[in-house]
Structure formats: structure tokens, C-alpha cells
Tab-separated table of all heavy atoms in Angstrom:
chain	number	residue	atom	x	y	z
A	846	PRO	N	24.626	13.205	-15.881
A	846	PRO	CA	24.784	13.908	-17.137
A	846	PRO	C	25.704	13.163	-18.115
A	846	PRO	O	25.444	13.157	-19.295
A	846	PRO	CB	25.357	15.260	-16.770
A	846	PRO	CG	24.918	15.493	-15.348
A	846	PRO	CD	24.822	14.121	-14.748
A	847	LYS	N	26.777	12.537	-17.628
A	847	LYS	CA	27.685	11.844	-18.539
A	847	LYS	C	27.014	10.620	-19.152
A	847	LYS	O	27.194	10.337	-20.336
A	847	LYS	CB	28.967	11.426	-17.818
A	847	LYS	CG	29.883	12.578	-17.493
A	847	LYS	CD	31.167	12.098	-16.846
A	847	LYS	CE	32.091	13.250	-16.535
A	847	LYS	NZ	33.361	12.790	-15.942
A	848	LEU	N	26.257	9.890	-18.345
A	848	LEU	CA	25.566	8.720	-18.879
A	848	LEU	C	24.521	9.129	-19.905
A	848	LEU	O	24.391	8.503	-20.964
A	848	LEU	CB	24.926	7.907	-17.753
A	848	LEU	CG	25.876	7.200	-16.794
A	848	LEU	CD1	25.094	6.540	-15.660
A	848	LEU	CD2	26.703	6.161	-17.525
A	849	GLU	N	23.756	10.161	-19.575
A	849	GLU	CA	22.755	10.648	-20.526
A	849	GLU	C	23.413	11.090	-21.825
A	849	GLU	O	22.925	10.789	-22.916
A	849	GLU	CB	21.970	11.817	-19.912
A	849	GLU	CG	21.030	11.408	-18.815
A	849	GLU	CD	20.329	12.597	-18.181
A	849	GLU	OE1	20.543	13.752	-18.615
A	849	GLU	OE2	19.570	12.365	-17.229
A	850	ALA	N	24.537	11.792	-21.712
A	850	ALA	CA	25.238	12.273	-22.902
A	850	ALA	C	25.735	11.122	-23.754
A	850	ALA	O	25.805	11.238	-24.985
A	850	ALA	CB	26.410	13.169	-22.488
A	851	ALA	N	26.040	9.993	-23.096
A	851	ALA	CA	26.517	8.824	-23.837
A	851	ALA	C	25.364	7.961	-24.345
A	851	ALA	O	25.598	6.923	-24.958
A	851	ALA	CB	27.440	7.999	-22.938
A	852	GLY	N	24.115	8.370	-24.082
A	852	GLY	CA	22.969	7.622	-24.562
A	852	GLY	C	22.625	6.412	-23.711
A	852	GLY	O	21.903	5.515	-24.157
A	853	VAL	N	23.124	6.371	-22.474
A	853	VAL	CA	22.841	5.251	-21.572
A	853	VAL	C	21.529	5.539	-20.830
A	853	VAL	O	21.394	6.598	-20.212
A	853	VAL	CB	23.992	5.056	-20.553
A	853	VAL	CG1	23.659	3.954	-19.567
A	853	VAL	CG2	25.296	4.760	-21.287
A	854	PRO	N	20.556	4.619	-20.902
A	854	PRO	CA	19.316	4.835	-20.142
A	854	PRO	C	19.630	4.906	-18.646
A	854	PRO	O	20.330	4.044	-18.103
A	854	PRO	CB	18.478	3.597	-20.454
A	854	PRO	CG	19.079	3.009	-21.686
A	854	PRO	CD	20.534	3.381	-21.654
A	855	CYS	N	19.162	5.931	-17.984
A	855	CYS	CA	19.449	6.099	-16.566
A	855	CYS	C	18.403	7.007	-15.939
A	855	CYS	O	17.586	7.611	-16.622
A	855	CYS	CB	20.849	6.664	-16.361
A	855	CYS	SG	21.097	8.257	-17.167
A	856	GLY	N	18.434	7.089	-14.646
A	856	GLY	CA	17.515	7.950	-13.914
A	856	GLY	C	18.084	8.250	-12.550
A	856	GLY	O	19.123	7.708	-12.156
A	857	PRO	N	17.414	9.103	-11.796
A	857	PRO	CA	17.931	9.489	-10.487
A	857	PRO	C	17.795	8.356	-9.462
A	857	PRO	O	16.933	7.487	-9.598
A	857	PRO	CB	17.046	10.667	-10.089
A	857	PRO	CG	15.765	10.421	-10.806
A	857	PRO	CD	16.149	9.765	-12.100
A	858	LEU	N	18.663	8.374	-8.476
A	858	LEU	CA	18.542	7.481	-7.327
A	858	LEU	C	17.969	8.329	-6.193
A	858	LEU	O	18.622	9.252	-5.715
A	858	LEU	CB	19.909	6.909	-6.920
A	858	LEU	CG	20.554	5.969	-7.921
A	858	LEU	CD1	21.940	5.552	-7.436
A	858	LEU	CD2	19.690	4.741	-8.128
A	859	ASN	N	16.740	8.033	-5.819
A	859	ASN	CA	16.070	8.816	-4.787
A	859	ASN	C	16.235	8.189	-3.416
A	859	ASN	O	16.315	6.968	-3.285
A	859	ASN	CB	14.571	8.916	-5.098
A	859	ASN	CG	14.294	9.717	-6.342
A	859	ASN	OD1	14.948	10.715	-6.596
A	859	ASN	ND2	13.333	9.279	-7.119
A	860	THR	N	16.219	9.047	-2.403
A	860	THR	CA	16.121	8.551	-1.036
A	860	THR	C	14.672	8.110	-0.827
A	860	THR	O	13.783	8.416	-1.652
A	860	THR	CB	16.455	9.647	-0.017
A	860	THR	OG1	15.466	10.684	-0.120
A	860	THR	CG2	17.853	10.220	-0.245
A	861	ILE	N	14.386	7.430	0.257
A	861	ILE	CA	13.007	7.023	0.540
A	861	ILE	C	12.113	8.252	0.646
A	861	ILE	O	11.014	8.289	0.095
A	861	ILE	CB	12.946	6.161	1.814
A	861	ILE	CG1	13.642	4.826	1.561
A	861	ILE	CG2	11.500	5.944	2.253
A	861	ILE	CD1	13.817	3.953	2.781
A	862	GLY	N	12.596	9.272	1.329
A	862	GLY	CA	11.817	10.508	1.463
A	862	GLY	C	11.508	11.152	0.130
A	862	GLY	O	10.389	11.609	-0.109
A	863	GLN	N	12.493	11.193	-0.758
A	863	GLN	CA	12.279	11.767	-2.088
A	863	GLN	C	11.282	10.927	-2.884
A	863	GLN	O	10.415	11.461	-3.574
A	863	GLN	CB	13.603	11.854	-2.847
A	863	GLN	CG	14.556	12.897	-2.311
A	863	GLN	CD	15.938	12.767	-2.911
A	863	GLN	OE1	16.406	11.667	-3.206
A	863	GLN	NE2	16.615	13.906	-3.087
A	864	ALA	N	11.418	9.617	-2.803
A	864	ALA	CA	10.504	8.736	-3.532
A	864	ALA	C	9.076	8.910	-3.031
A	864	ALA	O	8.133	8.988	-3.819
A	864	ALA	CB	10.952	7.286	-3.393
A	865	LEU	N	8.892	8.986	-1.707
A	865	LEU	CA	7.542	9.131	-1.157
A	865	LEU	C	6.950	10.505	-1.423
A	865	LEU	O	5.729	10.663	-1.438
A	865	LEU	CB	7.555	8.839	0.344
A	865	LEU	CG	7.871	7.395	0.727
A	865	LEU	CD1	7.938	7.247	2.236
A	865	LEU	CD2	6.852	6.437	0.139
A	866	ALA	N	7.791	11.503	-1.658
A	866	ALA	CA	7.306	12.858	-1.953
A	866	ALA	C	6.919	13.022	-3.418
A	866	ALA	O	6.305	14.031	-3.790
A	866	ALA	CB	8.382	13.884	-1.580
A	867	ASN	N	7.225	12.050	-4.253
A	867	ASN	CA	6.905	12.131	-5.676
A	867	ASN	C	5.392	12.164	-5.860
A	867	ASN	O	4.678	11.330	-5.306
A	867	ASN	CB	7.507	10.918	-6.400
A	867	ASN	CG	7.359	11.014	-7.896
A	867	ASN	OD1	6.262	11.167	-8.410
A	867	ASN	ND2	8.465	10.916	-8.601
A	868	PRO	N	4.865	13.118	-6.619
A	868	PRO	CA	3.410	13.210	-6.809
A	868	PRO	C	2.785	11.931	-7.375
A	868	PRO	O	1.624	11.632	-7.109
A	868	PRO	CB	3.237	14.369	-7.796
A	868	PRO	CG	4.511	15.121	-7.758
A	868	PRO	CD	5.583	14.170	-7.314
A	869	GLN	N	3.538	11.166	-8.135
A	869	GLN	CA	3.004	9.936	-8.713
A	869	GLN	C	2.704	8.906	-7.623
A	869	GLN	O	1.791	8.090	-7.762
A	869	GLN	CB	3.988	9.366	-9.742
A	869	GLN	CG	3.448	8.235	-10.563
A	869	GLN	CD	2.300	8.640	-11.485
A	869	GLN	OE1	2.027	9.817	-11.701
A	869	GLN	NE2	1.616	7.663	-12.018
A	870	VAL	N	3.462	8.924	-6.528
A	870	VAL	CA	3.226	8.007	-5.415
A	870	VAL	C	1.826	8.241	-4.845
A	870	VAL	O	1.066	7.304	-4.616
A	870	VAL	CB	4.319	8.164	-4.329
A	870	VAL	CG1	3.961	7.399	-3.070
A	870	VAL	CG2	5.656	7.697	-4.869
A	871	LYS	N	1.460	9.506	-4.652
A	871	LYS	CA	0.120	9.832	-4.143
A	871	LYS	C	-0.945	9.493	-5.186
A	871	LYS	O	-1.982	8.905	-4.865
A	871	LYS	CB	0.030	11.299	-3.750
A	871	LYS	CG	-1.305	11.653	-3.182
A	871	LYS	CD	-1.389	13.073	-2.692
A	871	LYS	CE	-2.764	13.302	-2.109
A	871	LYS	NZ	-2.958	14.613	-1.569
A	872	ALA	N	-0.691	9.841	-6.433
A	872	ALA	CA	-1.676	9.609	-7.492
A	872	ALA	C	-1.996	8.124	-7.662
A	872	ALA	O	-3.120	7.773	-8.019
A	872	ALA	CB	-1.161	10.192	-8.814
A	873	ARG	N	-1.032	7.252	-7.388
A	873	ARG	CA	-1.231	5.807	-7.558
A	873	ARG	C	-1.588	5.112	-6.249
A	873	ARG	O	-1.636	3.892	-6.191
A	873	ARG	CB	0.026	5.164	-8.140
A	873	ARG	CG	0.464	5.693	-9.480
A	873	ARG	CD	-0.207	5.042	-10.637
A	873	ARG	NE	0.082	3.618	-10.652
A	873	ARG	CZ	-0.720	2.706	-11.181
A	873	ARG	NH1	-1.846	3.058	-11.722
A	873	ARG	NH2	-0.401	1.447	-11.153
A	874	ASN	N	-1.854	5.880	-5.175
A	874	ASN	CA	-2.184	5.313	-3.853
A	874	ASN	C	-1.134	4.299	-3.402
A	874	ASN	O	-1.456	3.223	-2.895
A	874	ASN	CB	-3.563	4.658	-3.848
A	874	ASN	CG	-4.674	5.670	-3.815
A	874	ASN	OD1	-4.484	6.786	-3.341
A	874	ASN	ND2	-5.819	5.305	-4.324
A	875	MET	N	0.123	4.653	-3.566
A	875	MET	CA	1.195	3.749	-3.146
A	875	MET	C	1.482	3.866	-1.656
A	875	MET	O	2.236	3.087	-1.107
A	875	MET	CB	2.462	4.017	-3.963
A	875	MET	CG	2.285	3.686	-5.442
A	875	MET	SD	1.598	2.041	-5.756
A	875	MET	CE	2.766	0.990	-4.964
A	876	VAL	N	0.905	4.876	-1.005
A	876	VAL	CA	0.953	5.014	0.449
A	876	VAL	C	-0.488	5.195	0.895
A	876	VAL	O	-1.182	6.092	0.419
A	876	VAL	CB	1.822	6.223	0.875
A	876	VAL	CG1	1.773	6.421	2.373
A	876	VAL	CG2	3.255	6.037	0.417
A	877	VAL	N	-0.973	4.331	1.757
A	877	VAL	CA	-2.356	4.398	2.213
A	877	VAL	C	-2.409	4.611	3.723
A	877	VAL	O	-1.463	4.303	4.447
A	877	VAL	CB	-3.148	3.121	1.832
A	877	VAL	CG1	-3.256	2.990	0.333
A	877	VAL	CG2	-2.512	1.889	2.423
A	878	HIS	N	-3.519	5.146	4.175
A	878	HIS	CA	-3.712	5.433	5.584
A	878	HIS	C	-4.734	4.459	6.160
A	878	HIS	O	-5.785	4.230	5.573
A	878	HIS	CB	-4.173	6.876	5.772
A	878	HIS	CG	-3.143	7.852	5.293
A	878	HIS	ND1	-2.196	8.390	6.120
A	878	HIS	CD2	-2.889	8.350	4.065
A	878	HIS	CE1	-1.404	9.183	5.424
A	878	HIS	NE2	-1.809	9.179	4.167
A	879	THR	N	-4.412	3.907	7.293
A	879	THR	CA	-5.282	2.970	7.987
A	879	THR	C	-5.060	3.165	9.484
A	879	THR	O	-4.508	4.176	9.900
A	879	THR	CB	-5.020	1.512	7.532
A	879	THR	OG1	-5.978	0.661	8.125
A	879	THR	CG2	-3.633	1.044	7.853
A	880	ALA	N	-5.502	2.229	10.273
A	880	ALA	CA	-5.299	2.308	11.723
A	880	ALA	C	-5.090	0.908	12.274
A	880	ALA	O	-5.537	-0.077	11.697
A	880	ALA	CB	-6.504	2.952	12.393
A	881	LEU	N	-4.405	0.849	13.389
A	881	LEU	CA	-4.281	-0.407	14.108
A	881	LEU	C	-5.614	-0.701	14.783
A	881	LEU	O	-6.456	0.195	14.913
A	881	LEU	CB	-3.159	-0.295	15.149
A	881	LEU	CG	-1.756	-0.062	14.572
A	881	LEU	CD1	-0.761	0.197	15.701
A	881	LEU	CD2	-1.313	-1.235	13.736
A	882	PRO	N	-5.854	-1.919	15.215
A	882	PRO	CA	-7.141	-2.230	15.859
A	882	PRO	C	-7.478	-1.323	17.046
A	882	PRO	O	-8.642	-1.068	17.321
A	882	PRO	CB	-6.966	-3.680	16.299
A	882	PRO	CG	-6.019	-4.250	15.305
A	882	PRO	CD	-5.055	-3.133	15.015
A	883	ASP	N	-6.460	-0.773	17.718
A	883	ASP	CA	-6.727	0.115	18.854
A	883	ASP	C	-6.982	1.559	18.430
A	883	ASP	O	-7.183	2.437	19.251
A	883	ASP	CB	-5.587	0.055	19.873
A	883	ASP	CG	-4.278	0.633	19.345
A	883	ASP	OD1	-4.240	1.134	18.200
A	883	ASP	OD2	-3.279	0.582	20.086
A	884	GLY	N	-6.958	1.826	17.110
A	884	GLY	CA	-7.234	3.161	16.598
A	884	GLY	C	-6.001	3.986	16.289
A	884	GLY	O	-6.110	5.084	15.749
A	885	THR	N	-4.831	3.491	16.618
A	885	THR	CA	-3.597	4.218	16.323
A	885	THR	C	-3.424	4.351	14.813
A	885	THR	O	-3.476	3.350	14.107
A	885	THR	CB	-2.379	3.464	16.916
A	885	THR	OG1	-2.563	3.295	18.314
A	885	THR	CG2	-1.089	4.225	16.653
A	886	PRO	N	-3.228	5.580	14.307
A	886	PRO	CA	-3.049	5.759	12.864
A	886	PRO	C	-1.824	4.999	12.348
A	886	PRO	O	-0.814	4.880	13.041
A	886	PRO	CB	-2.842	7.263	12.704
A	886	PRO	CG	-3.404	7.867	13.942
A	886	PRO	CD	-3.202	6.855	15.031
A	887	LEU	N	-1.932	4.500	11.139
A	887	LEU	CA	-0.857	3.730	10.525
A	887	LEU	C	-0.775	4.097	9.051
A	887	LEU	O	-1.797	4.149	8.361
A	887	LEU	CB	-1.129	2.232	10.678
A	887	LEU	CG	-0.128	1.273	10.051
A	887	LEU	CD1	1.207	1.333	10.800
A	887	LEU	CD2	-0.671	-0.135	10.071
A	888	ILE	N	0.428	4.353	8.577
A	888	ILE	CA	0.668	4.600	7.162
A	888	ILE	C	1.346	3.354	6.615
A	888	ILE	O	2.309	2.858	7.189
A	888	ILE	CB	1.545	5.847	6.963
A	888	ILE	CG1	0.823	7.072	7.516
A	888	ILE	CG2	1.885	6.037	5.491
A	888	ILE	CD1	1.682	8.320	7.543
A	889	ALA	N	0.818	2.825	5.509
A	889	ALA	CA	1.325	1.561	4.975
A	889	ALA	C	1.505	1.663	3.454
A	889	ALA	O	0.973	2.572	2.809
A	889	ALA	CB	0.346	0.436	5.297
A	890	ALA	N	2.237	0.714	2.912
A	890	ALA	CA	2.417	0.648	1.464
A	890	ALA	C	1.107	0.218	0.815
A	890	ALA	O	0.426	-0.679	1.299
A	890	ALA	CB	3.524	-0.346	1.117
A	891	GLY	N	0.748	0.869	-0.283
A	891	GLY	CA	-0.443	0.499	-1.025
A	891	GLY	C	-0.170	-0.698	-1.918
A	891	GLY	O	0.966	-1.113	-2.118
A	892	ASN	N	-1.234	-1.241	-2.459
A	892	ASN	CA	-1.121	-2.380	-3.357
A	892	ASN	C	-0.540	-1.910	-4.697
A	892	ASN	O	-1.117	-1.030	-5.340
A	892	ASN	CB	-2.503	-3.006	-3.574
A	892	ASN	CG	-2.448	-4.300	-4.334
A	892	ASN	OD1	-1.443	-4.646	-4.938
A	892	ASN	ND2	-3.539	-5.031	-4.316
A	893	PRO	N	0.576	-2.471	-5.135
A	893	PRO	CA	1.159	-2.028	-6.403
A	893	PRO	C	0.392	-2.522	-7.624
A	893	PRO	O	0.598	-2.034	-8.722
A	893	PRO	CB	2.569	-2.615	-6.370
A	893	PRO	CG	2.438	-3.819	-5.505
A	893	PRO	CD	1.387	-3.482	-4.472
A	894	ILE	N	-0.500	-3.488	-7.448
A	894	ILE	CA	-1.272	-4.020	-8.576
A	894	ILE	C	-2.573	-3.237	-8.679
A	894	ILE	O	-3.379	-3.222	-7.753
A	894	ILE	CB	-1.549	-5.523	-8.387
A	894	ILE	CG1	-0.218	-6.273	-8.295
A	894	ILE	CG2	-2.417	-6.058	-9.522
A	894	ILE	CD1	-0.368	-7.709	-7.859
A	895	LYS	N	-2.774	-2.572	-9.777
A	895	LYS	CA	-3.959	-1.743	-9.998
A	895	LYS	C	-4.813	-2.383	-11.081
A	895	LYS	O	-4.323	-2.694	-12.164
A	895	LYS	CB	-3.565	-0.325	-10.426
A	895	LYS	CG	-2.538	0.347	-9.532
A	895	LYS	CD	-3.056	0.573	-8.135
A	895	LYS	CE	-1.996	1.323	-7.322
A	895	LYS	NZ	-2.314	1.415	-5.931
A	896	LEU	N	-6.087	-2.594	-10.780
A	896	LEU	CA	-7.036	-3.176	-11.730
A	896	LEU	C	-8.187	-2.199	-11.916
A	896	LEU	O	-8.784	-1.745	-10.936
A	896	LEU	CB	-7.547	-4.522	-11.216
A	896	LEU	CG	-6.465	-5.580	-10.935
A	896	LEU	CD1	-7.065	-6.784	-10.244
A	896	LEU	CD2	-5.786	-5.987	-12.226
A	897	SER	N	-8.515	-1.883	-13.141
A	897	SER	CA	-9.513	-0.851	-13.419
A	897	SER	C	-10.896	-1.194	-12.865
A	897	SER	O	-11.673	-0.300	-12.560
A	897	SER	CB	-9.593	-0.581	-14.920
A	897	SER	OG	-9.976	-1.754	-15.611
A	898	ALA	N	-11.225	-2.456	-12.725
A	898	ALA	CA	-12.553	-2.846	-12.241
A	898	ALA	C	-12.637	-2.891	-10.712
A	898	ALA	O	-13.686	-3.218	-10.175
A	898	ALA	CB	-12.933	-4.207	-12.816
A	899	HIS	N	-11.553	-2.556	-10.022
A	899	HIS	CA	-11.541	-2.630	-8.560
A	899	HIS	C	-11.113	-1.296	-7.965
A	899	HIS	O	-10.121	-0.704	-8.404
A	899	HIS	CB	-10.589	-3.736	-8.083
A	899	HIS	CG	-11.018	-5.095	-8.528
A	899	HIS	ND1	-11.985	-5.809	-7.875
A	899	HIS	CD2	-10.635	-5.850	-9.588
A	899	HIS	CE1	-12.174	-6.958	-8.501
A	899	HIS	NE2	-11.362	-6.997	-9.548
A	900	ALA	N	-11.854	-0.859	-6.963
A	900	ALA	CA	-11.527	0.403	-6.289
A	900	ALA	C	-10.192	0.291	-5.561
A	900	ALA	O	-9.802	-0.787	-5.114
A	900	ALA	CB	-12.630	0.749	-5.297
A	901	ASP	N	-9.505	1.408	-5.461
A	901	ASP	CA	-8.226	1.461	-4.749
A	901	ASP	C	-8.235	2.702	-3.863
A	901	ASP	O	-7.583	3.701	-4.161
A	901	ASP	CB	-7.071	1.502	-5.753
A	901	ASP	CG	-5.711	1.457	-5.073
A	901	ASP	OD1	-5.590	0.798	-4.018
A	901	ASP	OD2	-4.774	2.090	-5.593
A	902	PRO	N	-8.995	2.666	-2.753
A	902	PRO	CA	-9.106	3.858	-1.913
A	902	PRO	C	-7.794	4.210	-1.209
A	902	PRO	O	-6.956	3.338	-0.973
A	902	PRO	CB	-10.181	3.474	-0.895
A	902	PRO	CG	-10.140	1.983	-0.848
A	902	PRO	CD	-9.738	1.540	-2.225
A	903	ALA	N	-7.639	5.479	-0.880
A	903	ALA	CA	-6.429	5.949	-0.206
A	903	ALA	C	-6.451	5.641	1.292
A	903	ALA	O	-5.454	5.801	1.968
A	903	ALA	CB	-6.254	7.447	-0.422
A	904	THR	N	-7.596	5.232	1.799
A	904	THR	CA	-7.695	4.841	3.207
A	904	THR	C	-8.228	3.411	3.271
A	904	THR	O	-8.943	2.961	2.381
A	904	THR	CB	-8.624	5.765	4.008
A	904	THR	OG1	-9.914	5.764	3.416
A	904	THR	CG2	-8.086	7.188	4.037
A	905	ARG	N	-7.874	2.719	4.300
A	905	ARG	CA	-8.296	1.326	4.481
A	905	ARG	C	-8.872	1.154	5.879
A	905	ARG	O	-8.459	1.832	6.813
A	905	ARG	CB	-7.113	0.360	4.337
A	905	ARG	CG	-6.310	0.472	3.052
A	905	ARG	CD	-7.066	-0.124	1.877
A	905	ARG	NE	-6.215	-0.420	0.741
A	905	ARG	CZ	-5.935	0.428	-0.219
A	905	ARG	NH1	-6.384	1.642	-0.183
A	905	ARG	NH2	-5.185	0.062	-1.238
A	906	ALA	N	-9.784	0.213	6.022
A	906	ALA	CA	-10.307	-0.129	7.349
A	906	ALA	C	-9.198	-0.808	8.140
A	906	ALA	O	-8.329	-1.466	7.566
A	906	ALA	CB	-11.505	-1.053	7.212
A	907	PRO	N	-9.220	-0.666	9.456
A	907	PRO	CA	-8.189	-1.347	10.249
A	907	PRO	C	-8.316	-2.860	10.154
A	907	PRO	O	-9.413	-3.397	9.945
A	907	PRO	CB	-8.435	-0.880	11.675
A	907	PRO	CG	-9.673	-0.086	11.678
A	907	PRO	CD	-10.114	0.129	10.272
A	908	ALA	N	-7.205	-3.529	10.301
A	908	ALA	CA	-7.216	-4.986	10.327
A	908	ALA	C	-7.905	-5.454	11.602
A	908	ALA	O	-7.828	-4.789	12.628
A	908	ALA	CB	-5.786	-5.515	10.287
A	909	PRO	N	-8.588	-6.583	11.554
A	909	PRO	CA	-9.227	-7.081	12.775
A	909	PRO	C	-8.191	-7.579	13.775
A	909	PRO	O	-7.062	-7.911	13.402
A	909	PRO	CB	-10.099	-8.236	12.278
A	909	PRO	CG	-9.464	-8.669	11.001
A	909	PRO	CD	-8.829	-7.445	10.406
A	910	ASP	N	-8.576	-7.625	15.037
A	910	ASP	CA	-7.701	-8.197	16.062
A	910	ASP	C	-7.438	-9.664	15.728
A	910	ASP	O	-8.232	-10.315	15.041
A	910	ASP	CB	-8.354	-8.115	17.446
A	910	ASP	CG	-8.272	-6.724	18.051
A	910	ASP	OD1	-7.297	-6.009	17.769
A	910	ASP	OD2	-9.192	-6.365	18.807
A	911	LEU	N	-6.355	-10.189	16.245
A	911	LEU	CA	-6.026	-11.586	16.061
A	911	LEU	C	-7.177	-12.447	16.563
A	911	LEU	O	-7.672	-12.251	17.682
A	911	LEU	CB	-4.731	-11.927	16.821
A	911	LEU	CG	-4.214	-13.344	16.657
A	911	LEU	CD1	-3.857	-13.620	15.195
A	911	LEU	CD2	-2.998	-13.563	17.541
A	912	ASP	N	-7.652	-13.361	15.749
A	912	ASP	CA	-8.759	-14.280	16.053
A	912	ASP	C	-10.132	-13.600	16.122
A	912	ASP	O	-11.114	-14.232	16.500
A	912	ASP	CB	-8.512	-15.049	17.355
A	912	ASP	CG	-7.833	-16.380	17.110
A	912	ASP	OD1	-7.659	-16.759	15.937
A	912	ASP	OD2	-7.495	-17.052	18.097
A	913	ALA	N	-10.237	-12.336	15.744
A	913	ALA	CA	-11.510	-11.624	15.844
A	913	ALA	C	-12.592	-12.264	14.974
A	913	ALA	O	-13.767	-12.221	15.323
A	913	ALA	CB	-11.329	-10.169	15.454
A	914	ASP	N	-12.217	-12.844	13.851
A	914	ASP	CA	-13.193	-13.410	12.916
A	914	ASP	C	-13.221	-14.932	12.949
A	914	ASP	O	-13.815	-15.562	12.079
A	914	ASP	CB	-12.889	-12.938	11.491
A	914	ASP	CG	-13.021	-11.433	11.348
A	914	ASP	OD1	-13.882	-10.849	12.033
A	914	ASP	OD2	-12.274	-10.844	10.562
A	915	ARG	N	-12.598	-15.535	13.950
A	915	ARG	CA	-12.483	-16.988	14.005
A	915	ARG	C	-13.852	-17.670	13.945
A	915	ARG	O	-14.054	-18.571	13.144
A	915	ARG	CB	-11.753	-17.434	15.268
A	915	ARG	CG	-11.693	-18.954	15.411
A	915	ARG	CD	-11.096	-19.374	16.740
A	915	ARG	NE	-9.665	-19.234	16.782
A	915	ARG	CZ	-8.816	-20.165	16.362
A	915	ARG	NH1	-9.255	-21.287	15.850
A	915	ARG	NH2	-7.526	-19.976	16.447
A	916	ALA	N	-14.786	-17.231	14.763
A	916	ALA	CA	-16.097	-17.893	14.810
A	916	ALA	C	-16.806	-17.820	13.464
A	916	ALA	O	-17.359	-18.817	12.989
A	916	ALA	CB	-16.951	-17.277	15.905
A	917	ALA	N	-16.771	-16.663	12.824
A	917	ALA	CA	-17.428	-16.499	11.523
A	917	ALA	C	-16.768	-17.376	10.460
A	917	ALA	O	-17.445	-17.984	9.628
A	917	ALA	CB	-17.403	-15.037	11.099
A	918	ILE	N	-15.446	-17.458	10.476
A	918	ILE	CA	-14.734	-18.272	9.501
A	918	ILE	C	-15.036	-19.752	9.709
A	918	ILE	O	-15.325	-20.488	8.753
A	918	ILE	CB	-13.208	-18.003	9.580
A	918	ILE	CG1	-12.924	-16.580	9.104
A	918	ILE	CG2	-12.433	-19.013	8.738
A	918	ILE	CD1	-11.510	-16.111	9.389
A	919	LEU	N	-14.986	-20.196	10.957
A	919	LEU	CA	-15.286	-21.603	11.235
A	919	LEU	C	-16.716	-21.948	10.846
A	919	LEU	O	-16.990	-23.021	10.291
A	919	LEU	CB	-15.032	-21.924	12.713
A	919	LEU	CG	-13.552	-21.883	13.139
A	919	LEU	CD1	-13.442	-22.096	14.635
A	919	LEU	CD2	-12.737	-22.890	12.375
A	920	LYS	N	-17.641	-21.017	11.093
A	920	LYS	CA	-19.039	-21.252	10.729
A	920	LYS	C	-19.172	-21.365	9.211
A	920	LYS	O	-19.868	-22.257	8.711
A	920	LYS	CB	-19.918	-20.115	11.259
A	920	LYS	CG	-21.391	-20.305	10.955
A	920	LYS	CD	-22.209	-19.191	11.536
A	920	LYS	CE	-23.681	-19.384	11.193
A	920	LYS	NZ	-24.507	-18.289	11.694
A	921	GLU	N	-18.500	-20.475	8.483
A	921	GLU	CA	-18.558	-20.514	7.016
A	921	GLU	C	-17.984	-21.824	6.480
A	921	GLU	O	-18.451	-22.340	5.471
A	921	GLU	CB	-17.784	-19.320	6.436
A	921	GLU	CG	-17.887	-19.210	4.936
A	921	GLU	CD	-17.211	-17.967	4.386
A	921	GLU	OE1	-17.131	-16.950	5.102
A	921	GLU	OE2	-16.748	-18.028	3.233
A	922	LEU	N	-16.995	-22.359	7.150
A	922	LEU	CA	-16.381	-23.627	6.739
A	922	LEU	C	-17.172	-24.831	7.224
A	922	LEU	O	-16.839	-25.974	6.910
A	922	LEU	CB	-14.944	-23.706	7.269
A	922	LEU	CG	-13.968	-22.697	6.692
A	922	LEU	CD1	-12.643	-22.753	7.420
A	922	LEU	CD2	-13.774	-22.922	5.203
A	923	GLY	N	-18.217	-24.584	8.004
A	923	GLY	CA	-19.035	-25.667	8.515
A	923	GLY	C	-18.388	-26.414	9.670
A	923	GLY	O	-18.706	-27.571	9.925
A	924	LEU	N	-17.499	-25.775	10.383
A	924	LEU	CA	-16.801	-26.407	11.500
A	924	LEU	C	-17.327	-25.902	12.840
A	924	LEU	O	-17.761	-24.855	13.024
A	924	LEU	CB	-15.286	-26.142	11.406
A	924	LEU	CG	-14.651	-26.637	10.121
A	924	LEU	CD1	-13.194	-26.173	10.063
A	924	LEU	CD2	-14.700	-28.146	10.039
């Protein structure tokens, strides 16, 4: 209140819980739901860069296992 009264730009300092509970966090998909390769649910930070021509779903496919795509990548590279 004193800073605001003095005309100093300021805002609240939120805890992590308070920040994640902010409705804008959900609206901007800043927390997304995915799963580990074994199916265990995982909550992760969303991409902060938003582009209107690209979808930004609130859920993501699980990441592949380590080396799961090696053969396909090597084939695409002609190796």
C-alpha cells in the first residue's frame, strides 16, 4: 500500500502455490499434463511462447523412451 500510494509500480509476491492457482496460468496452458513413458502421470511447465498459428493443447503425449526413435532418426539421416 505505501509503494502504491507513492506511485511506485509494484505487485504482489506470490508463493508457487498462489502463482499456479492464478486463473491466467490455466488460461495460458502454463501447466500441462502428460505422462512418463511408463504411464505415470506428470505435470510439467507449459511452453511460455504462444503463437497464434500453432496449437497449444493442455495435454501432451508422453516423451519416448531413451533411444526409442533411434532407428527412424538414423534412417531419415541416411545412416
